[in-house]
Amino acid sequence: MEQPDIAQALERLVGPVEPEVGCDECFAELDRYVELELAGADANAAIPGLRAHLDGCPACREEHDSLVALVSAEQRRS
Ligand SMILES: [Zn+2]
């Protein structure tokens, strides 16, 4: 008798709907995300999953907020 692979079955069921974004990836893409956001572009479509990560991760959200403040201050200066 073969045991069904639960993890595999679950993965098939849930599926990779959106790429899972971790803190490292979030950090790597945050500059680009904030620039798109401030440019009025659809940052959520450009970098799928990052918005969801920010919503669920206070540390990255804080990083995002301070980056927004920094970049918008820079844009005002130039
Ligand atoms: Zn994070």
Side-chain angles (χ1 to χ4, degrees):
M1 278 277 272
E2 251 181 61
Q3 286 280 337
D5 188 330
I6 306 272
Q8 218 170 52
L10 203 67
E11 199 178 312
R12 246 201 320 273
L13 200 70
V14 180
V17 179
E18 268 188 1
E20 191 87 11
V21 173
C23 285
D24 286 349
E25 202 182 332
C26 175
F27 200 75
E29 297 279 27
L30 203 55
D31 274 22
R32 197 157 72 91
Y33 184 87
V34 167
E35 263 170 40
L36 287 167
E37 208 175 35
L38 290 175
D42 195 347
N44 192 42
I47 310 169
L50 205 140
R51 177 81 252 171
H53 180 83
L54 290 177
D55 283 344
C57 182
C60 286
R61 174 131 64 169
E62 205 170 295
E63 191 64 35
H64 166 269
D65 288 351
S66 58
L67 200 59
V68 167
L70 192 82
V71 173
S72 51
E74 259 171 31
Q75 283 179 351
R76 269 199 302 275
R77 223 176 13 244
S78 59

